[in-house]
Amino acid sequence: SDGLVLEIHSSGNCLKMSLLERSSTFPSLKSINEVHVDFTYLDKLIEGINYLLNQQENDFFINENNIRELKKLGHLLFDHLLSKNIKQKLKQQGPIELTLNVDERLSILPWEILYTGDDFLCLKFNLGRSITTYRDLDSQRLRQLSLPLKMLIIADPTGDLELSYKEGLKIKDFL
C-alpha cells in the first residue's frame, strides 16, 4: 500500500469518516462511519493540550508529568473523534504514510496529538494533512511561481541536529 487516507468531514455534531488505502484509482465503493461529537468537550480537551504544550521547560522539552497528561488528553481525543472501526485499524497499522483529509472546521484540531494507547499519531505515522473547503478558491489569489524558487529553509535552528542540517544542505543544493 502507498499509505492511507483518513477522510473526516463534519455535519452538525456528527463526524463522517472513512479510512482508505491511497490509490491512483478512485474507489467505486467506500464505507462511511459516523461519530457524534460534543464540540464543547473538544474545546476543553484542546485547551488542556495547549496549556500543557505551553508549559515546556528549558531547551523545548516537555517534562514527564506533562507528557503523561498529554497522552491522557490525546487518548480522550482519539476515543471521542474516531469510530471504533477506524480506531482499531489505526492501532493495528504499522508505520506508514497517513494523510488526514479534513474540512475547515476540523482543521484546527491537534490531530497529531491523538494517542492510540501506544503512540501519538505524529510518531506512529508519516502524517500529512489536506484541508477541504467549501469556499470558491479564486485562481487569481494564488501566487505564480517562477524560477529560481525563493524559500527559507530551517533545518537545524539549535545547532544540535546533524542529520537535519545535512538534509537542509541537500534541499538547498537541489534547488
Side-chain angles (χ1 to χ4, degrees):
S1 165
D2 290 333
L4 298 173
V5 177
L6 176 56
E7 296 179 342
I8 306 177
H9 300 281
S10 62
S11 177
N13 286 336
C14 182
L15 299 183
K16 297 180 180 188
M17 62 193 71
S18 62
L19 184 64
L20 306 166
E21 285 192 26
R22 183 176 300 137
S23 171
S24 59
T25 60
F26 191 77
S28 58
L29 183 65
K30 70 178 175 181
S31 174
I32 301 288
N33 294 261
E34 289 189 9
V35 173
H36 293 280
V37 200
D38 179 349
F39 281 94
T40 304
Y41 177 67
L42 282 180
D43 287 341
K44 289 179 183 175
L45 291 177
I46 293 168
E47 186 179 306
I49 288 170
N50 288 336
Y51 175 80
L52 290 171
L53 292 176
N54 288 321
Q55 296 300 309
Q56 59 194 11
E57 295 176 358
N58 56 356
D59 298 327
F60 302 104
F61 291 106
I62 301 173
N63 70 43
E64 287 298 318
N65 288 334
N66 285 356
I67 289 175
R68 276 192 295 279
E69 288 302 311
L70 197 58
K71 286 178 179 180
K72 286 180 191 174
L73 291 172
H75 201 268
L76 290 171
L77 271 179
F78 184 74
D79 281 340
H80 194 66
L81 288 171
L82 302 177
S83 70
K84 182 179 179 181
N85 182 29
I86 289 179
K87 286 187 282 194
Q88 184 179 31
K89 287 179 182 178
L90 290 176
K91 283 181 179 183
Q92 293 172 349
Q93 183 64 52
I96 195 170
E97 289 187 18
L98 174 64
T99 302
L100 301 172
N101 181 335
V102 297
D103 64 33
E104 285 179 299
R105 182 180 185 192
L106 303 174
S107 67
I108 63 167
L109 296 175
W111 295 98
E112 296 79 6
I113 303 296
L114 269 65
Y115 189 73
T116 66
D118 297 315
D119 222 337
F120 294 103
L121 286 192
C122 64
L123 297 177
K124 181 174 176 117
F125 299 104
N126 297 325
L127 203 56
R129 284 194 194 196
S130 173
I131 311 299
T132 300
T133 183
Y134 297 101
R135 293 183 278 156
D136 186 23
L137 297 179
D138 185 359
S139 62
Q140 300 296 326
R141 293 187 341 201
L142 300 176
R143 67 184 179 126
Q144 298 299 317
L145 297 179
S146 60
L147 295 175
L149 296 177
K150 295 179 183 178
M151 66 180 70
L152 175 64
I153 301 169
I154 302 174
D156 184 17
T158 57
D160 60 348
L161 301 170
E162 182 182 345
L163 293 176
S164 179
Y165 177 77
K166 288 179 181 178
E167 183 178 18
L169 290 176
K170 285 182 182 179
I171 293 170
K172 177 185 153 273
D173 292 343
F174 177 76
L175 298 174

